[in-house]
Amino acid sequence: MTSTNRYLRQTSLVSFGEEGQAKLADSQVLVVGLGGLGLPVIQYLNAMGVGTIGLVDHDTIELHNLQRQVLYTEADLGRPKLEVAIEQLQAQNSNTKIIGHDTFLNSQNALEIIKNYEVVVDATDNFATRYLINDACILLNKPFVYGALHDFEGQVSVFNYQNGPSYRCLFPKMPGPNEIPNCDVNGVLGVLPGIIGTMQALETIKVLTGVGEVLSGKLLLFDGLQQQTQTISFEAQADQKNITQLQASYESQDCLMEFGVSAETFLSNAERENMQLIDVRNSNEFEHDHLARAINIPLSQLADHELSIRDERPVYLICQSGQRSALALRLLTAKYPTLKIYHILGGMNKLAALCP
Amino acid sequence: MTIKLFGVTKDIIGSPSLSLPTNVLTGKSSPKTVGELRQFLGKTYPGLKELSSLAIAVNNSYAQDAEEINSYDEIALIPPVSGG
């Protein structure tokens, strides 16, 4: 199979042609996040003949990923996303050079990883990494293709393209941890990241080949329920593009990290430690399934609940994903500074993945 | 004045759009600028004030607080969203 035949359907497009194909073959794209957004991006970029694709993720595949992360199968449960994605991409197109970065992106590794690529695709699911990618791309002068979801809506844009506006020109300040619900709390309709992710793939192709008009200085808003799109134009703000170094950390909950225990640590502590376990999810979630020792105090009622400070057992907080338990930790630590309080990172989801 | 709502602003206000008869906005006069509108909405819906970043677009363009608005302008409230 010659490469001419392989890409014939796109090289025969007059405005794309052999020239566009040659540019793709010669390009290096980094995709951060191998979840609902990242998978359609990598599948199309790989199918279409992008020469080098870098992948960043450190997650494992869980059952509740499968309704939207359509590259993964039931046989892949528990395996690292990175490993499965690399296998699948190599089977799909053996010509592509695939580079795996088995880590989450952070302030320590971001510049080192991003500097080798031409374009970055932000397919993450949290603000901390989005702001980190923004700042790193400004420092390295790289464009990045942004996509994000909320309920049945999506946003797409290309930031920092040819000195164009950045993410901070739209949203200067990173939201706090409890301002905007994420998919873990809010839910996401399986097909929606597929739509937004393929739009990101399209924008990436346009950035790489120069075909068409790149969505720079424009924010595309997609409303899946109404099947409507709207495009907002915006300009670069010099003060928002004036980034001289990365922040030491982008995690607004960093101060709480030391009181976050991994699900593995929790399980081993639970065997030998006498603890109070508080499940801060809603009562219907609790009734649906909970840990044997847990008592239920929903986050909304936690502020009114009195813990006994004479009870010296350590307090462990759990919720579905670790987000509400982090808020509960903040609340209780402020109220009971003398108690030992921890929260379980990844929550019930992580525990379910460990002991299905 | 019609205000289209996106992301978490839909949840805070409880509907996909907001229609404000301009004369009752402030009792006397309607907001003349994006900044005044932002203040008015923040008073009526305190949840909006807690957003670190909230972009406001006027007629499909990102607007600074000083920008003037009229009753026939199409406004959109656009918060950041994080899901992926």
Side-chain angles (χ1 to χ4, degrees):
Chain A
M1 185 169 34
T2 68
S3 63
T4 322
N5 279 333
R6 179 168 192 143
Y7 302 112
L8 184 63
R9 287 294 178 272
Q10 63 202 35
T11 52
S12 55
L13 286 165
V14 176
S15 58
F16 188 86
E18 293 290 348
E19 198 188 334
Q21 195 61 46
K23 283 180 185 162
L24 287 192
D26 201 29
S27 58
Q28 306 87 33
V29 178
L30 181 71
V31 180
V32 185
L34 298 177
L37 293 172
L39 297 180
V41 173
I42 61 172
Q43 284 174 276
Y44 276 104
L45 296 186
N46 189 53
M48 290 177 70
V50 168
T52 304
I53 302 178
L55 310 173
V56 184
D57 206 304
H58 193 56
D59 244 341
T60 52
I61 298 164
E62 297 176 39
L63 186 61
H64 58 89
N65 296 150
L66 298 187
Q67 53 78 266
R68 65 190 185 286
Q69 300 180 17
V70 295
L71 186 69
Y72 307 134
T73 69
E74 290 174 9
D76 301 322
L77 292 177
R79 294 184 63 199
K81 290 182 177 180
L82 186 69
E83 191 182 295
V84 176
I86 290 174
E87 274 175 22
Q88 296 278 359
L89 293 189
Q90 279 169 346
Q92 186 191 26
N93 190 343
S94 56
N95 300 322
T96 314
K97 184 178 174 195
I98 311 280
I99 302 171
H101 302 276
D102 186 11
T103 176
F104 291 120
L105 206 66
N106 59 43
S107 298
Q108 284 69 50
N109 63 23
L111 295 174
E112 196 55 37
I113 292 176
I114 291 174
K115 72 172 189 200
N116 300 313
Y117 297 89
E118 205 177 328
V119 182
V120 179
V121 181
D122 170 8
T124 61
D125 60 359
N126 63 84
F127 286 120
T129 318
R130 294 184 185 286
Y131 279 85
L132 168 63
I133 291 173
N134 177 76
D135 294 357
C137 284
I138 288 176
L139 287 172
L140 295 168
N141 196 23
K142 311 269 184 188
F144 76 103
V145 182
Y146 157 84
L149 310 170
H150 178 91
D151 284 2
F152 303 95
E153 293 172 19
Q155 299 184 349
V156 185
S157 189
V158 179
F159 295 124
N160 210 38
Y161 175 72
Q162 295 180 349
N163 282 322
S166 75
Y167 186 42
R168 286 184 191 271
C169 298
L170 265 182
F171 306 118
K173 228 178 122 196
M174 186 167 103
N178 51 351
E179 264 179 48
I180 314 271
N182 65 16
C183 292
D184 286 350
V185 177
N186 236 33
V188 57
L189 199 69
V191 65
L192 205 85
I195 295 168
I196 299 302
T198 42
M199 286 200 201
Q200 289 180 275
L202 174 61
E203 288 306 315
T204 308
I205 296 294
K206 285 156 64 181
V207 168
L208 295 174
T209 59
V211 169
E213 198 180 319
V214 171
L215 196 64
S216 167
K218 291 173 187 159
L219 176 70
L220 186 139
L221 300 164
F222 173 78
D223 180 342
L225 288 185
Q226 305 302 323
Q227 201 61 282
Q228 279 179 351
T229 58
Q230 187 167 350
T231 309
I232 306 293
S233 59
F234 61 101
E235 287 171 6
Q237 311 293 330
D239 53 334
Q240 297 304 336
K241 293 206 71 178
N242 182 23
I243 304 281
T244 52
Q245 59 177 28
L246 295 182
Q247 296 172 21
S249 165
Y250 286 77
E251 293 289 344
S252 48
Q253 288 164 306
D254 247 13
C255 55
L256 298 173
M257 281 308 280
E258 57 182 307
F259 299 107
V261 298
S262 70
E264 291 90 340
T265 309
F266 163 73
L267 286 175
S268 74
N269 289 358
E271 279 175 18
R272 49 190 173 74
E273 216 174 21
N274 195 4
M275 59 170 69
Q276 311 179 58
L277 180 60
I278 302 177
D279 189 323
V280 297
R281 296 174 301 161
N282 300 332
S283 55
N284 53 351
E285 292 175 279
F286 184 78
E287 277 160 29
H288 177 66
D289 115 73
H290 62 84
L291 300 173
R293 277 199 256 174
I295 59 161
N296 184 216
I297 309 173
L299 181 59
S300 57
Q301 295 164 26
L302 198 63
D304 301 326
H305 192 91
E306 293 299 325
L307 292 179
S308 166
I309 51 167
R310 281 192 302 275
D311 189 340
E312 287 182 346
R313 291 178 301 163
V315 177
Y316 284 78
L317 300 163
I318 190 162
C319 68
Q320 196 64 36
S321 70
Q323 202 182 38
R324 282 173 286 177
S325 58
L327 297 175
L329 174 68
R330 178 170 293 195
L331 198 152
L332 289 184
T333 322
K335 196 168 164 189
Y336 303 104
T338 60
L339 287 183
K340 279 189 191 144
I341 309 173
Y342 306 95
H343 87 115
I344 299 161
L345 299 168
M348 296 293 284
N349 290 343
K350 193 73 197 177
L351 287 172
L354 288 177
C355 28
Chain B
M1 185 180 295
T2 307
I3 304 174
K4 275 187 90 171
L5 307 172
F6 289 93
V8 76
T9 66
K10 254 184 198 165
D11 308 329
I12 291 171
I13 292 175
S15 75
S17 70
L18 194 59
S19 192
L20 299 180
T22 48
N23 58 338
V24 300
L25 274 177
T26 57
K28 287 176 187 162
S29 59
S30 46
K32 296 280 189 292
T33 64
V34 170
E36 284 178 31
L37 177 71
R38 196 186 283 276
Q39 263 189 338
F40 167 77
L41 290 172
K43 262 185 219 156
T44 319
Y45 305 99
L48 292 179
K49 269 193 303 201
E50 285 168 28
L51 300 175
S52 306
S53 288
L54 175 62
I56 297 185
V58 178
N59 302 326
N60 290 324
S61 291
Y62 181 94
Q64 303 287 351
D65 279 356
E67 188 162 322
E68 290 184 15
I69 48 173
N70 293 296
S71 58
Y72 46 80
D73 284 330
E74 192 185 296
I75 315 277
L77 302 191
I78 307 161
V81 300
S82 75

